[in-house]
Amino acid sequence: MGQRRLITTRGTACFARAWRRLAFAIVAMISLVLASPIAAQSPDNVAQADLLEQRGASLLAEGDVEAARATFAQSIALRRWAAQRSPADLELGLALAEALGRVGANLLDGGDVALAQAHTEEAVQLLERLPPAVRSTPAVQASLADLLRDLGEAANTRGDSSTARSYHERSIVLYRGLIERRSDDDDLRTGLSSSLVRLGESQRDLGTARPLLEEALAIDRALAGKEPGGHSRQRRLSAAMNSLAHVLFRQGDLGGARSLFESSVSIRRHTHGDVGNSDTATDLAYSLFRLSEVNIEAGDLSSARNTLDEALSLIEVATARGPNSTHGRSLAASIGMTTGEVMAGQGDAGAARAQFARVQQLLRQIVAADVTNIAMQR
C-alpha cells in the first residue's frame, strides 16, 4: 500500500510539473510578444521581466532547475531586446548587466555552473564596454567586483583553482579601492571578505592562505558585531571561522583549530535553535564534523564519537527534508565513514560494519541522483 501511494504521489508530481511547464511555454510566447521593439521600453515590459526573474528564483529554490532556466531565459530576453533596441541608452545596458549578474548568481547557487558562468561573463563584458567615465563610477566598479567574485566561485566549483584565484585577486583589488573611498559600506566589506575567504581556500601554501583568512575573519567579526542577531551575518562569521580553523588544523595547531570550530558550533547551534531548517542543520552538522576531526587527531575518540553522533543525527534529518539533498548525502557519507572508523578504533566492530553498510547505501543514492541529473540536463 505504501509503495502504491508513493507511485501515485510521484505521478501526481510529474503531472503537475508537466502542466507547469506548459504554463511557462504560454508565458514565454506572451513574453516574446511583449519583447517586440515597440514594447521593449514600456514599464509593463520591465515589470514582466522582474516577475519572471522572481519566479525563476522561486522555481530554483523548489528544485525545478529546468523550469527555472526557461523562466530566467525569458526574463533576460525581455531586457536584452530593450537594450538592443536602444543601444545608446546606458541605463538599459546597465539593467541588463545587473539582471545577468543576479540570474548568474541564482543559477550558481542552484548548481547550473555553466549557464551561471555564461551569464556572469556577459555581464562583465557589458560593464567593461561602458564609456570610461561611466565604467569608473563606484557603482559600476562595485558591480564588477561582485561579478568577478562570482566568476571565481564558478571556476572554483569547476575545480579550476588557478582561474578562480585570478578572478578573486581582481575582485579584491576593486573592493580595496572602493573601500578606501567608502569605508563605511558594509556590502563592500562583505564582498571583500567573501573573496578573501575563497582566495585563501584556493591557496596550496598554508602560509599564504592564513593571513588572507585571518583578514576575512576580522572583517566578518566586525560586521557580525554590528548585527548580533542577524542570522546571515552569523552564518558568514561561522563559515570564516571554519575556513581558518581548517588551515590551523592542517598546520598542526590543534588548540587554535579546536577553539575556532567550537565557536562555529556555538554560533550554528544558536542559529539552528532559532531557525531550525535543513540548511541550519547541515551547517551545524558540518562544523561538528570538523570539530570531531580535531578530537580524532588529538586521540580523544570518545569526544569525537559523541560529536559525530550528533552530526549524523542532524544531517539525516536535513537530507530527509531538502529537495536537492545530494550535497547533504555527500556530507552524511563523510560523517558516516568517519563514525565507522571511530567505532572500529574503539573496538566496536559490529557497529562499525553496520555503519559502513549505511554509508555504502548513501553512496549508491548519490550516484543514482547524479545519473538522473545528467539525464535531465540532456
Side-chain angles (χ1 to χ4, degrees), residues 212-231:
L212 294 168
L213 296 172
E214 286 174 338
E215 182 182 358
L217 179 57
I219 293 171
D220 285 327
R221 281 191 194 279
L223 292 173
K226 295 171 69 173
E227 193 179 347
H231 293 143

Side-chain angles (χ1 to χ4, degrees), residues 22 58 119 130 224 265 286-287 343:
L22 176 60
S58 297
H119 282 330
L130 290 170
V265 166
Y286 177 83
S287 292
M343 289 172 172

Side-chain angles (χ1 to χ4, degrees), residues 9 15 24 42 46 105 116 126 170 189 226 273 296 329 355:
T9 301
F15 183 76
F24 292 141
S42 72
V46 173
L126 285 169
R170 289 172 61 190
R189 295 168 70 198
K226 295 171 69 173
I296 291 169
R329 289 195 190 103
Q355 185 59 48

Side-chain angles (χ1 to χ4, degrees), residues 192-214:
L192 174 60
S193 169
S194 179
S195 288
L196 286 167
V197 167
R198 295 309 184 196
L199 181 59
E201 290 176 341
S202 69
Q203 298 295 325
R204 296 179 180 177
D205 179 54
L206 299 179
T208 302
R210 184 167 177 169
L212 294 168
L213 296 172
E214 286 174 338

Side-chain angles (χ1 to χ4, degrees), residues 155-342:
N156 185 64
T157 303
R158 296 196 319 272
D160 188 351
S161 57
S162 177
T163 300
R165 283 195 294 272
S166 175
Y167 279 127
H168 287 309
E169 286 168 353
R170 289 172 61 190
S171 72
I172 286 170
V173 170
L174 289 175
Y175 282 130
R176 290 197 192 284
L178 288 163
I179 290 171
E180 286 181 2
R181 290 182 282 174
R182 298 157 58 186
S183 60
D184 60 341
D185 191 320
D186 289 348
D187 288 338
L188 291 175
R189 295 168 70 198
T190 298
L192 174 60
S193 169
S194 179
S195 288
L196 286 167
V197 167
R198 295 309 184 196
L199 181 59
E201 290 176 341
S202 69
Q203 298 295 325
R204 296 179 180 177
D205 179 54
L206 299 179
T208 302
R210 184 167 177 169
L212 294 168
L213 296 172
E214 286 174 338
E215 182 182 358
L217 179 57
I219 293 171
D220 285 327
R221 281 191 194 279
L223 292 173
K226 295 171 69 173
E227 193 179 347
H231 293 143
S232 177
R233 292 290 187 198
Q234 294 297 318
R235 189 184 193 195
R236 292 185 59 84
L237 173 59
S238 64
M241 288 175 170
N242 285 343
S243 296
L244 178 57
H246 184 61
V247 167
L248 297 181
F249 175 71
R250 292 172 62 193
Q251 288 182 322
D253 184 357
L254 298 186
R258 177 183 286 106
S259 177
L260 284 172
F261 280 134
E262 286 176 344
S263 296
S264 175
V265 166
S266 177
I267 290 171
R268 293 184 168 189
R269 197 185 300 283
H270 179 76
T271 301
H272 185 56
D274 286 349
V275 180
N277 60 27
S278 59
D279 289 336
T280 59
T282 301
D283 285 349
L284 178 54
Y286 177 83
S287 292
L288 287 165
F289 174 48
R290 291 305 187 189
L291 177 59
S292 75
E293 292 180 320
V294 177
N295 290 328
I296 291 169
E297 187 68 19
D300 187 355
L301 296 186
S302 178
S303 294
R305 174 83 176 264
N306 291 335
T307 305
L308 286 165
D309 285 345
E310 183 182 359
L312 200 55
S313 176
L314 284 162
I315 199 62
E316 285 174 350
V317 173
T319 53
R321 291 179 184 174
N324 291 321
S325 53
T326 300
H327 169 69
R329 289 195 190 103
S330 299
L331 178 57
S334 297
I335 296 171
M337 182 64 73
T338 305
T339 302
E341 292 170 351
V342 169

Side-chain angles (χ1 to χ4, degrees), residues 5-188:
R5 289 180 62 186
L6 177 60
I7 292 170
T8 302
T9 301
R10 287 177 177 168
T12 302
C14 291
F15 183 76
R17 283 197 296 272
W19 273 107
R20 186 163 57 183
R21 285 168 186 161
L22 176 60
F24 292 141
I26 295 170
V27 169
M29 293 174 65
I30 295 172
S31 298
L32 289 174
V33 173
L34 287 172
S36 65
I38 297 174
Q41 299 180 67
S42 72
D44 288 344
N45 206 31
V46 173
Q48 179 72 4
D50 290 341
L51 288 172
L52 284 166
E53 185 178 328
Q54 293 166 14
R55 182 59 181 154
S58 297
L59 288 165
L60 202 60
E62 293 168 10
D64 197 340
V65 179
E66 183 180 348
R69 189 186 295 119
T71 307
F72 281 139
Q74 294 307 314
S75 173
I76 294 298
L78 287 168
R79 298 185 195 278
R80 194 189 306 282
W81 212 311
Q84 291 172 348
R85 171 68 174 171
S86 303
D89 191 330
L90 296 181
E91 288 188 10
L92 290 175
L94 285 170
L96 173 59
E98 290 171 359
L100 285 164
R102 288 193 302 270
V103 170
N106 276 317
L107 289 168
L108 184 60
D109 288 341
D112 193 340
V113 181
L115 189 55
Q117 178 181 332
H119 282 330
T120 309
E121 286 176 342
E122 184 182 354
V124 169
Q125 292 166 5
L126 285 169
L127 294 183
E128 289 182 338
R129 286 201 297 264
L130 290 170
V134 179
R135 189 172 64 244
S136 62
T137 60
V140 172
Q141 290 292 294
S143 293
L144 271 172
D146 290 344
L147 292 168
L148 291 169
R149 178 199 62 203
D150 290 347
L151 283 174
E153 183 68 18
N156 185 64
T157 303
R158 296 196 319 272
D160 188 351
S161 57
S162 177
T163 300
R165 283 195 294 272
S166 175
Y167 279 127
H168 287 309
E169 286 168 353
R170 289 172 61 190
S171 72
I172 286 170
V173 170
L174 289 175
Y175 282 130
R176 290 197 192 284
L178 288 163
I179 290 171
E180 286 181 2
R181 290 182 282 174
R182 298 157 58 186
S183 60
D184 60 341
D185 191 320
D186 289 348
D187 288 338
L188 291 175

